[in-house]
Structure formats: structure tokens, C-alpha cells
Amino acid sequence: MRVPYGWMADYCDPGLEPRDLAEQMAMTGTEVERVVTLGPESADGFVIGKAVSVEKHPDADRLNVCQVDVGEGEVRTIVCGAPNVAAGQTVVVALPGAVMPGGMKIKQAKLRGVESNGMICSERELELGEDHDGILVLGDGPAPGTPAAELLPLAEPVLDLEVTPNRTDCFGIYGVAREAHAISGAELAPAPWDGGPIGPGLSSEAGDVERLDDPVGEESTADRIRIIVQDEDLCPRFTARGYTDVKVGPSPLWLKARLIAAGMRPISNVVDITNYVMWLTGQPMHAYDLDLVPEGELVVRRAESGEKVAALDGNEYELSDQMVAVADRNGLAGIGGMMGGSVSEVSETTTTVLMEAANWNGPNLLKTSRDLGLRSEASSRFEKQLHPALTLRAQAVAARLMIEICGATPMTGLVDVAAPAPASEPIRLRAGRVERILGLAIETDRQAEALEMLGFGVERDGEDLVVTVPPDRHYDVTREIDLVEEVGRISDLDRNLPATLPSGAGRPGGLSRQQSLQRRAEDSLRESGFDEMVGWSFTDPAEVERLRLDAADPRSHPVKLANPLSEDQSVMRTILLGSVLGAAQRNLSRGADRVALFESGRVYLPAGEFGPGPLGGDFPGNTRPPSNEPQHLCAVAVGSIDPSSWRGEAGVSDFFALKGVLEHLAGGLGTAVTVERLADGPVQPFLHPGKSGSVLVEGQAIGWIGEVHPLVAAEYDLDGAVAFEIALADLLAASPVGEEAYVDFTPFPPVDRDLAVLVAEEVSAATVVAAVEGSGGELLTGVSVFDVYSGEGVGEGEKSLALRLRFRAPDRTLSDEEIDPLVSGIVESLAGIGGKLRG
Amino acid sequence: MVERIEEIEAEAKAAVEAAGSAAELEDARVKYLGRKAELTGILRGIADLPPEQRGPVGSTGNKVRKGLEAMIEAKVEGLKNAELEKSLAEDRIDVTLPGSPARAVGHLHPITRTRRLIEDVMIGLGYQVMEGPEVEHDYYNFTALNHPEGHPARMLQDTFYVEDDQHEEEVLLRTHTSPMQVRAMEASPPPLFMIVPGKTYRRDSDATHSPMFHQVEGLAVGEKITLADLKGTLLAMLREIFGPDREIRMRPHFFPFTEPSVEFDVSCFRCGGSGSLEDGSRCGLCKGIGWIELGGAGMVDPNVFGFVADTGYDPDHVTGFAFGFGIERIAMLQHNVGDLRLFFDNDVRMLEQFS
Ligand SMILES: [Zn+2]
């Protein structure tokens, strides 16, 4: 909302530098985005001049040599190129030394041999209007030499306010002036609809609104205009007044200047009046050429689905049956609250006008705006829900302007079709309530004063205040707490409010066990040499194919966005791998020679089991979240994770290097993972079928690890990569950290036995170890594989595993006699999986 | 005879001492202690001596032999050590070559580091850390936060909606971490002190807006919580993050789910809040204002408590404050990162600057 300072000062001049006012407004709830100066930076050097004589330049056809009186006693010679310059005109002269908008400094100059001592200005050169066809010609009256700023808004400071959507009152100049009044204490003039000023040089005589209800003209509005509102819920009030003898033409300079300063384009006096009234009161208006409204009849109704309207912006809009339209007898004449139709547009030939000030349903208009992709100054106000009573304010101000500016004769009376006004009950502000909420005591008198300055009606009831809310604050201030805010915001809270900490003991702060273990897991990967990344939650739907996930895989059915920013960010990721591979690819393409990245982030699945805990997607609250969002941990290594040096090149990190990282991670959490192939087929479609496995913790599959399938790696321009991804909550659930129970350690030494076992190539180490563990009895405390061998001395299709078995008893040193039968049992068990002792 | 033994001793000692190598020493040992040595002969012939000489010759001879043996042994040890030292001295490396590198540790993402810092500060103030869903029901993101259907405040946040036919209400990506206020209050009665760090989403993308970003929500509800407590809490937090000299400024604002609402700023830590640097130039960090805008806050709107009345949130008995701010914003200020998008580019040349 752009607020020209001079316009606001018609109602309240806080006597502050615009920047200081902006600062104070920011500290009371209205952000001022910036303060700009319209026109020249300074009004110095701009004076009124009178053209005494105008002659053709002797050497240039298009130039005139003017003698201009600027009140100096002697006239000045000024060369002027404007075609409309003529003797006798009152004009604005920029004297040498004056600085034009944009920074050009006026100097004495010779133009084709003639000395020129200044410049006669056009509207556009002064940023007062858009007319550049000729110089600006003022009406007679002002004496030559008068500073132009006394007549024209030169160097006008404009405050650009960022009005919050609750403050519909500040979408009008008068509302902003009232804010300035409450902030500064400077006097507030009566409202323009209440006998206050409406514009520079306008007589208040014309502002006698009461008169308009007397039968002055030949006609009464009700005779010429018929308004039918079919949907009261969408249009709670529609007021209209007719005018005859309207003289359409350009607006006076001051009005154009104000509209331009406010950021609007002047069009014609009638249209400019509707915009001016909107900017002043916050209530939008619309003017129709009444002669183009058949029988003067307008119907407010829901549009028929697919019904079209040609709007004033030159576009045609197709409406739905949820949208409200204004129709004449022939069809649609406008989109209610949004934009008028071109069918009854006011033009140069217009002589009768129907002036509309209506009230519309905010939420409905908001939806219309969204559906049509159309937003106007009017709809941006209506969508925040205005009070129906504001329509009368607008009609009153418009009537005064129509009479003064357009020479119009108002018809008698308003047509006013109104649903019952929204009920408004006084609000009680209890004693002590302000202090209870703010933590700052403010005297009751001071509270009352603050509210009154803001336009509220206040009565005392003991220590309580009983407060009446004006219509333009009706939807914003509805409860006691809203009054507390009003009092607080203009009580210089920033300076007065103490900084305290909440009282009340016994609050334990801290991380949950899951949260602290999450940190430990992330730290482990960091210690293992991986850089943490944060990938986008949304991804390309084609990622599913890049990762070779087929339709049967639930991960190929991601959560879809209805309004994505782009196609490649249109679905929520179901796996982290794609994000991490993408980041690896980008880094390598930028010259990195190796990459080790991990991400700790969520995936988004349409369904699936929730939990354990928030990291497993089980969040507090009564209603389950719409999707399942478990936290995953994914690590990818390309190249070596170990450093190379002058002593040797570190090899490319392979499956086992990454498995070591995973084991380190689990070990750091006090638990262990195993990697197994649970089925015959590939573990994951995006992994090397022979070099991949499922990751298990306590027998439960929690993810996968493996070499990335060469075809998938190629999709990401990688020569190869190893990766794992696990469900973090499931891993953390297996961690005994913090819950360990001490077990007495034995002083008796262990006895180690090594076995070399021949098994078929396809028998996994885990199978062999499981066979040993299953048959070793209680005294067997550990089995490890310390060598794998195939080749010479071992049969075709076989491999030799070297196992170290460790036996230990808590109460004695074990003898060979005790251990030998155990080993025999183990060997027997190994025979069950086709194993035999080697050599 | 005893005199002869003492002569041999002196001779032998001199020979051992003179030996410069293991071989010379062995020669001396054979010569003076070997089977054919004179001393060996004397001791072997003791029985042939007259009885009165046997005692003195035997004891002197044995003493001398033991002494020589010990001397040779010591000399062997000495020669060995000398040879070792010699070979060690020849076994030289170039100590100026680089050491074998240990596996380099990786780096936590700056957002993680800043998030943990904020968590730790708030834990110290008695807060718990909670997480909530990012794909969320309209109810939690808007309705229960006092944004009724059709409310213009919904327009303030450009929302990503989700294609969904399973739920009656719309499903969306949360536009703020505030939905967890409602979820947390549904789950536990007052008093409640919690923060919610997490990802949030808005349909907006440029150097200062990312469609995905991180926020921290804070909520404190109890019997006597005031706006002054909010100010004190934010001030304590900001001083932990930005230094003990920082000040806070609260500007009234509007949010549907807090009343009164404020935006809060921290005094600029580059110019000390003056807006200008020592050389008199305008401070670029705060753009000469002296304050840096950080986030929004306010007293929990009674309407929000109305949605969780079942768990004991009665606005006549409890009050509360809530606040929210961006983690990236804090991290950008902490580390002088100019472009928000760098956080999601994951260029290791950026990541590896944060150890
Ligand atoms: Zn600064």
C-alpha cells in the first residue's frame, strides 16, 4: 500500500520525517518496505512562471523562444520545444540549479544560438502525470515566482507499507492517518465521509452529503436503477447511485498526481474518482456507463459454468458456477468484486453514470482469484473481507468528487440492497488481563486512551473497559486478546517490555534417546570420512526408472505434488540413493576426483509401517500423518575413501570398504549388523546382483548395501559406486547404549582353535559361521573368519575358509579333553552343510 | 705360581680391552680361557702342586678366570650395542617427507551443525526436541492454527499441495514447523516446553527463498507465561548463538495463530547495532539498520488452545508463547553464506569448509 505523505497529512500530519514515521510504524505493527520520493529529490528551483511572450526560434522550426516572468522583476529567456506553449500560460519553470527526477541538473545553455535560462516542465518530467505531449499548463491565479511545491506535490515522499492482511483499515489513506495519529498523538481530521477534507481546493460545500438524499435532480436513483442480488452470501451489500450531466475528461492535476504517487494510472475523471475513493477509504468502487446498462438493471448472481465475460483489462474470462458475477439483461457485465466488464465501460461519451460500492464474500473472492489467476486492487481488498458499512462511506466521498470534478448531478437517494449487517457486540477488557498476557502493567487510563486513539469506543465498568469496535476493525478485533494486542502495540513495547524467563520448575530439557543416538550415527559416518549433504525432498518422477524400480515396487509410487514448481521436482523421494548419487555426479563433474557423501534424511512413502518413534515416522498427535516418513541413512562412495600418498595409491573403495564403514557405524551404537542375501534374486534392482546384500540387525532387514549396478551408475555418469541405505530408527532400536548391564569378566584364559574348512563356493561365510555357532555349545564364545582361499590345493568349485574358534569358561581353564569333543561336534555340524576339514 | 697367574690376568685384561671386534675378542678368549690356555693348564694341574700351594693357586686362578669371563661378556655386549648403533645410524629416512595421511574425517552439513547448536541452547533452557511430519493435513498446518478455510492469511504462504484422494481435507507440504504445536499439545497436557526443528516448504525460489528450507519452532505453555518471557527466552537464545552483547527488538506483527504477534530482530553483530562500520561506511550485513530480522513469534492465540481443549489447554488458565525462525538464516549469518541455494547444492568444496 503506497501512501503519499502529503495525502495522509490532509488528515493527520505527525510532523515527522517520513523515515522516522516509517520507523515508528514498523515498531507498532506496520512494516514500511521503503520510503521513496516521487518527482524531483528536492523542490528547490521549481517555481511558477508566466509566459509573457512566445516567438519562433530564428534558426529552429520546432523551438520557441519564450519570455517568462518568474517573479524576479525581469523576465527570463527560456527556449522551449513544446508545441502547446503560448503566451499568457501559467507554467512550472525549473530554474538553473534545479535537479530533475533522474538526476539531470538544469543549466544555463545556448540552444541554436539563443541563451536559455531554465526549462518549462511537462507533467511527466515532474512525475506528476503521464502527459508528455506538451508542457504542463496550470490555471490562472498563482503569482509568478511562487514555489511550485505550494501548488503541486513535488518531491513527494511515498511510504510503501506492507500491510498485514488483518488490517484492512490500513488499505485506505484515512486508516493510515489514524494509525499515525495513534502513534504520534498529532491531531486527526474528521474522516472524508464525515465532513473532513477530500482533496486540495475542494469546497466542503459540495461535501454536504445529506443533501443528496433530498430530491434535487429530476430523477431519483431508484427510478433509473434496479439492483437484484440473488446470492446474499456472496454479495452481502450492493449500493448504487446514479449521476447525470457527467462530463468525462482528464482529472485535475492534484488527483492525477495522487494516483500516480499511489502507484495507479490515471484514466479519466470518473474512473480516477473510483480509484481515489478506494485508496482513501479502503472500499473499492466501480463506475458503469448507465446508458449502456439496459433498463438500468443489474443482477448479482452466481455465474453459469463456462459463462464468459469480457473484462476491463481486455481479457475474456470463463467463470465457474462458484464465482459471483454482475449481469445486465444481455449477459455478464463484470466479475463481482474483481473487475468490471467492458460492455458498460465509462468512456469519453459517457454522460450518465452508475456508481457501485458493494461488499463481497472474502473467501469466495480469494478462491475466484486463485482459480482465474487474476487479482486486482479491488479484489485484494475484498478478499480480506471488508465490512458492509464501508460502502456508504465510499458513496459519500464519491458523490462529493463527482459533483466537484465531473460537474455531475447526483440522482436522489441510494439503491441499497443489504443483507443483515454482521452483529457487533462490545468486548470487555478485564482488569489485569493486559499484564497477564504481556508481563507489563499498563494503567487502565492509558489502555483506554490507546484504544480511543485507534478509533475504538471505550466505556469504563469498574476496572474493566467495555470496548466498541468500529466497522473497519470488525473482523480483526473480535476478542479480549485482540484488544490486548492493540494496547500493547502502541505502548512502546520495545522499550518498556522486560526480558524475563518463564517461571515454573521441573522441566527436564533434553534429547530423546533416539535423537541422541541419531547424532551418534551421523557423527560415525562423519568420522569415517563422509561429508553430510542435504538433498531435496522432491525429485524427478523419472528417478524411479533411473533406479530401475518396477511398478510392483512401492517405491515407484511416490507422493505427488499437485502444484510443483517444475516437473523435475514434482514427486517426493522414496529413497535417498538418487539424491546422493546426483550430488556425487555434480561434484565429480566439477572436478572432484573422489566423493564420499552421506545423507540423513526422510523418505516419503504412501503407506507402510510406522515407527519405531518419530524417526520411524510415528509422530505425536491425534491423527496419523498422510504419508509415512521414516528417516533413512544413505552413504555413497565413489573412488577411494582412504587417502593416497607418496607411499602408494589407495585403491577404489569396494563393497568391503563400505561394509566396514557400516560395521563401524553399528559398532559405535553398541550393536552389529549382518549382511546376507535373503533370496535368490537381486537384492535391489539398482545394485550389482552379485555384489550386494540385505542389511540385517537382530535378524530384521533394515536396508541394503552393495555396488551400484553399472547401468544405474552410468545414468549418473559414474564409473562405479558403492552405497548403503538403512532405516535409521530400526538400527537405533537395536542399540543397547545406555542400557548395558555389566557382566563379570573371567580371569581364566581363552583357548583358540583354528579350523580350515572346505565348502562349496556358493556357501556363504555367514552360513558356515552359523553352523559353527549353532553347534559349539556354551563354551564357544566367538567365531571369526580370518582367511578365505581358493585355487591350488583346493578343489574346483570349492573354497577354504579359515576359522578361529574361541572357547572360554567363566570358572576354570579349559583342557584339551573338554574342547576336543566340542570341536568334533562342530565338524559334524559343518558336514551338514557340505563342509569338511582341509588337509 | 700365584705371581704368574696375576701376570696372565694383566696380560689377558689388556688383550680383551684391546679387542675391537667380536673376532679379536674370541681370539683373546681362546688364548686366555680356552682349553689350551696357560691358566686352564695351571688350574688343571693343581693336584700336582705341593699341598701348601694348592689353596692359594686354586682360589686366585678361579677368581681370575671368573673375572675374565665377566669382562669378556661385558665386552661382547658393548661391541653388540656399538654395532647396533652403527647400523641404526646408517638406517636413515628422509624425515621431511609427508606423513602417511590418516583417513580424513568428513564434515557435517552446516544446517545440521546450526540445528544442533540451537537444539543444545534450547535444551539448556529446559526444552525438549520434537519432530513432526512434513507431508501434513491441512487441519494441522492451517485450520487448527486459526487459519480458517478461505482466510487470506493462507495466501501469505505459497503452499505445495499433494495429489491425494484418501483424505477429506487437503494434504500439503507443511509451510512451517508450527503444525507440531498442535500435535504436541494433543499428545501432552501443559506445561509444555518444546522446540521442533525440521524441513518446511513454500512455493518460492530465488536467492533468498528456497522451496525447501529448515525452521525451528518453539512453544512454551504454562500458567504464567507472558510476552516478556518470550522476549527473555529469545534474547537468551540469541546471545548464545551470536554473542553476549546482542540485543533483541520485537516489532508488532500479524500471524493468525499468535496474538499479540511480533517479528523479532537481533542487533547486528558486525556493526554492533550502530548501522555503520568503524571506517564510517554503511554496514552491509544489516544494511545500515543495526538490526537483523530473524523470525516471527507471539502469544499463542486462544483459538489455537480451543483446538486442544481436550488435553487441558484452557486459555483462562494457561498462556503460552510460540516462535519460529529459519535455520538457514542463522547459518548464513554465522558463516557469511550469501546465497541460500548453496546449502542444497552440496558442493564438497563448500561442505568441507565446515569442520
Ligand atoms: Zn550492521
Side-chain angles (χ1 to χ4, degrees):
Chain A
M1 170 78 189
R2 286 167 63 105
V3 178
Y5 192 92
W7 192 354
M8 181 193 71
D10 273 4
Y11 304 97
C12 177
D13 185 352
L16 294 169
E17 279 298 309
R19 265 165 224 294
D20 294 336
L21 176 64
E23 167 83 14
Q24 293 201 19
M25 292 195 76
M27 295 309 293
T28 52
T30 307
E31 194 72 44
V32 181
E33 275 182 44
R34 59 185 168 274
V35 180
V36 295
T37 304
L38 216 76
E41 277 295 318
S42 159
D44 292 349
F46 293 88
V47 297
I48 299 299
K50 188 144 185 135
V52 176
S53 70
V54 174
E55 285 164 16
K56 281 267 168 248
H57 191 289
D59 298 320
D61 277 356
R62 276 188 279 171
L63 295 180
N64 296 298
V65 179
C66 313
Q67 303 302 324
V68 185
D69 177 3
V70 291
E72 296 168 320
E74 277 174 44
V75 294
R76 273 173 185 257
T77 303
I78 296 175
V79 177
C80 175
N84 67 329
V85 64
Q89 286 172 337
T90 301
V91 296
V92 178
V93 176
L95 299 174
V99 180
M100 300 302 291
M104 187 186 79
K105 193 169 181 180
I106 302 298
K107 292 183 192 128
Q108 265 183 347
K110 266 204 170 126
L111 286 164
R112 295 277 179 102
V114 178
E115 186 81 16
S116 182
N117 296 296
M119 184 173 105
I120 304 176
C121 303
S122 73
E123 268 180 38
R124 201 165 75 176
E125 281 161 350
L126 295 171
E127 295 187 346
L128 291 171
E130 298 192 321
D131 193 347
H132 196 51
D133 292 340
I135 54 160
L136 169 60
V137 180
L138 302 173
D140 287 341
T146 308
E150 286 181 16
L151 283 98
L152 299 169
L154 290 184
E156 173 78 0
V158 178
L159 280 68
D160 199 348
L161 307 190
E162 191 183 308
V163 181
T164 55
N166 57 321
R167 294 299 305 275
T168 52
D169 58 317
C170 286
F171 282 101
I173 294 285
Y174 189 73
V176 177
R178 191 168 51 211
E179 218 35 39
H181 161 66
I183 293 168
S184 66
E187 206 180 322
L188 180 70
W193 55 85
D194 224 6
I198 53 170
L202 294 188
S203 73
S204 57
E205 191 63 20
D208 188 353
V209 182
E210 297 297 316
R211 194 171 62 97
L212 303 181
D213 287 328
D214 298 336
V216 282
E218 295 285 300
E219 295 178 279
S220 90
T221 300
D223 290 341
R224 279 292 303 273
I225 294 171
R226 206 164 104 85
I227 303 294
I228 301 157
V229 176
Q230 289 184 354
D231 290 284
E232 270 189 357
D233 56 328
L234 299 185
C235 178
R237 191 164 192 175
F238 194 110
T239 69
R241 185 188 293 277
Y243 295 88
T244 56
D245 311 319
V246 179
K247 289 165 202 70
V248 176
S251 291
L253 188 62
W254 64 264
L255 202 162
K256 286 198 282 191
R258 285 193 169 176
L259 289 183
I260 286 171
M264 280 178 299
R265 203 161 60 85
I267 293 165
S268 69
N269 51 8
V270 173
V271 176
D272 292 351
I273 285 170
T274 62
N275 286 329
Y276 183 82
V277 171
M278 169 174 73
W279 220 261
L280 179 56
T281 66
Q283 165 72 44
M285 300 191 87
H286 180 61
Y288 301 75
D289 184 331
L290 183 52
D291 291 328
L292 298 177
V293 180
E295 309 296 321
E297 182 183 287
L298 292 174
V299 180
V300 178
R301 60 168 169 84
R302 280 186 157 76
E304 285 161 30
S305 204
E307 209 172 355
K308 290 185 177 137
V309 56
L312 282 176
D313 63 1
N315 295 321
E316 187 175 72
Y317 294 93
E318 187 174 319
L319 306 188
S320 80
D321 58 4
Q322 299 301 304
M323 300 173 184
V324 63
V326 180
D328 63 24
R329 290 196 166 183
N330 299 329
L332 296 192
I335 312 167
M338 177 71 71
M339 195 172 279
S342 53
V343 60
S344 36
E345 183 174 0
V346 171
S347 70
E348 285 168 17
T349 59
T350 299
T351 58
T352 63
V353 164
L354 184 163
M355 198 61 94
E356 165 200 317
N359 184 264
W360 306 94
N361 177 307
N364 177 263
L365 204 56
L366 189 63
K367 189 169 183 323
T368 299
S369 181
R370 206 159 63 180
D371 292 350
L372 291 181
L374 176 64
R375 204 150 174 259
S376 62
E377 284 291 348
S379 77
S380 70
R381 286 170 170 74
F382 285 128
E383 73 190 18
K384 299 176 177 76
Q385 193 61 60
L386 302 181
H387 193 281
L390 306 191
T391 53
L392 298 186
R393 296 177 174 182
Q395 290 286 11
V397 178
R400 293 172 63 182
L401 290 164
M402 286 293 284
I403 295 166
E404 279 278 316
I405 292 172
C406 305
T409 306
M411 297 180 195
T412 307
L414 274 179
V415 170
D416 183 0
V417 183
S424 177
E425 291 289 320
I427 306 168
R428 179 172 293 268
L429 178 54
R430 290 170 290 174
R433 200 59 193 167
V434 167
E435 184 172 6
R436 171 87 195 271
I437 300 293
L438 300 183
L440 170 70
I442 297 173
E443 282 173 28
T444 312
D445 283 347
R446 174 68 200 128
Q447 294 182 26
E449 191 191 343
L451 291 169
E452 277 168 347
M453 288 179 100
L454 288 167
F456 295 90
V458 181
E459 277 177 45
R460 301 287 291 254
D461 183 13
E463 280 302 296
D464 294 357
L465 299 178
V466 179
V467 179
T468 317
V469 180
D472 48 5
R473 303 299 305 278
H474 176 87
Y475 294 99
D476 179 26
V477 179
T478 58
R479 304 160 303 167
E480 184 183 46
I481 189 74
D482 302 320
L483 295 175
V484 173
E485 167 165 60
E486 291 299 314
V487 169
R489 74 184 178 87
I490 62 164
S491 299
D492 202 359
L493 273 191
D494 182 52
R495 196 159 309 150
N496 297 329
L497 193 67
T500 54
L501 286 174
S503 55
R507 288 182 281 117
L511 292 176
S512 68
R513 184 166 181 282
Q514 204 178 42
Q515 286 161 348
S516 55
L517 290 178
Q518 178 189 354
R519 286 193 182 185
R520 195 188 278 223
E522 292 162 356
D523 288 343
S524 166
L525 289 177
R526 173 184 168 269
E527 285 152 17
S528 292
F530 286 73
D531 291 333
E532 188 192 11
M533 58 166 280
V534 176
W536 295 102
S537 303
F538 6 72
T539 184
D540 186 345
E543 185 176 281
V544 164
E545 285 125 58
R546 277 205 285 279
L547 296 177
R548 312 189 342 143
L549 297 171
D550 64 25
D553 194 314
R555 292 172 297 187
S556 48
H557 304 284
V559 173
K560 286 195 183 91
L561 297 184
N563 55 341
L565 277 177
S566 62
E567 174 69 8
D568 63 0
Q569 292 198 328
S570 64
V571 300
M572 302 300 281
R573 62 183 175 182
T574 55
I575 180 169
L576 299 186
L577 179 67
S579 303
V580 189
L581 287 177
Q585 173 187 22
R586 278 197 306 282
N587 277 291
L588 291 164
S589 75
R590 291 167 185 169
D593 54 354
R594 53 168 289 278
V595 169
L597 287 169
F598 83 95
E599 177 162 13
S600 173
R602 291 188 191 173
V603 298
Y604 308 83
L605 305 167
E609 251 177 68
F610 290 84
L615 289 183
D618 187 10
F619 303 108
N622 292 344
T623 310
R624 268 275 155 86
S627 85
N628 187 15
E629 304 176 15
Q631 184 93 359
H632 278 197
L633 206 54
C634 176
V636 168
V638 179
S640 177
I641 54 176
D642 289 308
S644 295
S645 75
W646 55 273
R647 310 181 70 185
E649 194 73 18
V652 168
S653 292
D654 63 2
F655 176 90
F656 296 104
L658 200 68
K659 187 177 177 189
V661 170
L662 177 61
E663 285 167 344
H664 177 73
L665 164 66
L669 295 163
T671 183
V673 291
T674 57
V675 174
E676 290 178 34
R677 306 179 55 91
L678 295 177
D680 282 343
V683 175
Q684 294 287 345
F686 45 80
L687 295 180
H688 185 306
K691 297 180 180 174
S692 58
S694 296
V695 177
L696 286 82
V697 62
E698 294 177 342
Q700 186 202 350
I702 64 163
W704 50 261
I705 180 170
E707 259 184 35
V708 174
H709 195 290
L711 294 178
V712 174
E715 287 281 347
Y716 292 88
D717 300 327
L718 302 172
D719 290 337
V722 283
F724 68 74
E725 181 164 340
I726 55 171
L728 186 56
D730 292 330
L731 176 65
L732 302 185
S735 170
V737 168
E739 291 162 358
E740 300 92 337
Y742 172 73
V743 179
D744 226 350
F745 47 81
T746 168
F748 298 98
V751 177
D752 288 347
R753 289 288 180 90
D754 291 350
L755 296 181
V757 185
L758 288 170
V759 289
E761 194 69 68
E762 61 270 18
V763 176
S764 72
T767 309
V768 174
V769 169
V772 173
E773 284 174 340
S775 56
E778 277 181 11
L779 298 177
L780 178 73
T781 58
V783 189
S784 58
V785 178
F786 67 91
D787 191 27
V788 182
Y789 175 77
S790 55
E792 207 176 320
V794 172
E796 188 77 0
E798 286 192 318
K799 64 185 172 188
S800 167
L801 292 180
L803 305 177
R804 178 154 299 157
L805 317 182
R806 172 160 284 196
F807 297 91
R808 188 176 238 172
D811 53 353
R812 63 190 186 280
T813 302
L814 291 171
S815 63
D816 287 348
E817 289 71 37
E818 279 182 284
I819 291 171
D820 289 342
L822 294 174
V823 172
S824 305
I826 287 168
V827 170
E828 224 168 275
S829 159
L830 286 171
I833 57 166
K836 54 184 185 288
L837 290 190
R838 182 177 168 211
Chain B
M1 191 61 79
V2 171
E3 292 78 32
R4 179 62 199 147
I5 292 174
E6 282 164 353
E7 279 168 29
I8 292 170
E9 183 185 21
E11 234 175 88
K13 275 187 176 171
V16 168
E17 240 157 59
S21 69
E24 283 173 34
L25 193 62
E26 180 62 12
D27 287 348
R29 192 190 65 77
V30 170
K31 182 170 177 194
Y32 295 104
L33 294 174
R35 274 190 297 122
K36 291 176 185 162
E38 190 181 352
L39 183 60
T40 310
I42 291 170
L43 287 170
R44 201 185 291 136
I46 274 182
D48 302 332
L49 292 177
E52 69 277 9
Q53 284 188 20
R54 284 179 204 162
V57 169
S59 73
T60 305
N62 278 318
K63 198 180 96 200
V64 166
R65 197 176 68 175
K66 283 209 176 97
L68 287 174
E69 278 168 358
M71 191 182 174
I72 289 168
E73 208 172 298
K75 180 80 185 182
V76 166
E77 192 71 13
L79 283 174
K80 255 196 211 156
N81 286 350
E83 270 161 38
L84 179 66
E85 288 302 334
K86 189 166 168 252
S87 71
L88 288 180
E90 283 163 5
D91 187 12
R92 275 179 161 235
I93 58 169
D94 178 357
V95 296
T96 65
L97 283 170
S100 295
R103 184 187 284 179
V105 291
H107 306 80
L108 289 181
H109 195 283
I111 289 176
T112 300
R113 296 186 352 152
T114 300
R115 192 198 74 223
R116 288 188 185 182
L117 169 66
I118 296 162
E119 286 173 356
D120 291 345
V121 170
M122 294 310 295
I123 285 167
L125 290 171
Y127 287 69
Q128 290 182 301
V129 181
M130 299 181 91
E131 295 103 355
E134 294 165 23
V135 181
E136 186 55 284
H137 299 286
D138 178 283
Y139 175 82
Y140 286 111
N141 196 74
F142 287 130
T143 309
L145 290 171
N146 201 30
H147 293 64
E149 185 68 42
H151 193 285
R154 287 182 174 220
M155 288 279 279
L156 291 177
Q157 304 172 1
D158 254 331
T159 309
F160 281 113
Y161 288 93
V162 163
E163 281 183 21
D164 174 274
D165 46 19
Q166 315 267 312
H167 302 90
E168 258 176 52
E169 273 196 337
E170 291 208 82
V171 173
L172 43 78
L173 302 188
R174 65 177 176 189
T175 56
H176 42 191
T177 39
S178 314
M180 265 310 285
Q181 288 188 24
V182 182
R183 287 186 172 273
M185 289 191 281
E186 281 179 350
S188 46
L192 182 63
F193 291 80
M194 62 113 186
I195 61 163
V196 188
K199 288 193 173 84
T200 49
Y201 303 88
R202 291 188 198 174
R203 229 179 147 275
D204 215 347
S205 185
D206 57 42
T208 53
H209 295 90
S210 166
M212 177 183 87
F213 56 104
H214 295 74
Q215 272 194 344
V216 176
E217 190 79 8
L219 176 68
V221 185
E223 282 183 7
K224 287 174 186 161
I225 304 240
T226 66
L227 192 69
D229 294 336
L230 170 65
K231 186 178 182 181
T233 300
L234 291 174
L235 181 61
M237 178 185 78
L238 295 176
R239 285 185 174 172
E240 283 294 321
I241 297 172
F242 293 114
D245 298 332
R246 299 280 67 78
E247 294 297 337
I248 185 173
R249 180 171 86 160
M250 300 204 310
R251 290 172 286 111
H253 197 69
F254 168 75
F255 300 108
F257 48 109
T258 48
E259 185 85 351
S261 302
V262 297
E263 285 189 322
F264 62 94
D265 308 335
V266 65
S267 60
C268 180
F269 47 84
R270 186 162 301 159
C271 63
S274 68
S276 49
L277 302 176
E278 273 175 18
D279 62 4
S281 64
R282 192 181 79 140
C283 173
L285 187 63
C286 63
K287 302 190 174 64
I289 298 164
W291 296 95
I292 298 169
E293 194 175 324
L294 283 184
M299 299 301 290
V300 178
D301 194 290
N303 286 4
V304 174
F305 285 143
F307 286 97
V308 288
D310 286 354
T311 31
Y313 291 86
D314 174 354
D316 272 337
H317 289 111
V318 294
T319 51
F321 64 69
F323 59 84
F325 57 91
I327 298 179
E328 286 87 351
R329 176 103 176 112
I330 303 282
M332 287 170 90
L333 290 169
Q334 282 180 302
H335 304 298
N336 202 23
V337 177
D339 189 332
L340 179 58
R341 290 170 290 203
L342 283 171
F343 287 117
F344 308 113
D345 192 42
N346 298 304
D347 191 315
V348 293
R349 293 169 298 184
M350 188 251 195
L351 298 176
E352 292 179 356
Q353 293 180 31
F354 301 93
S355 42

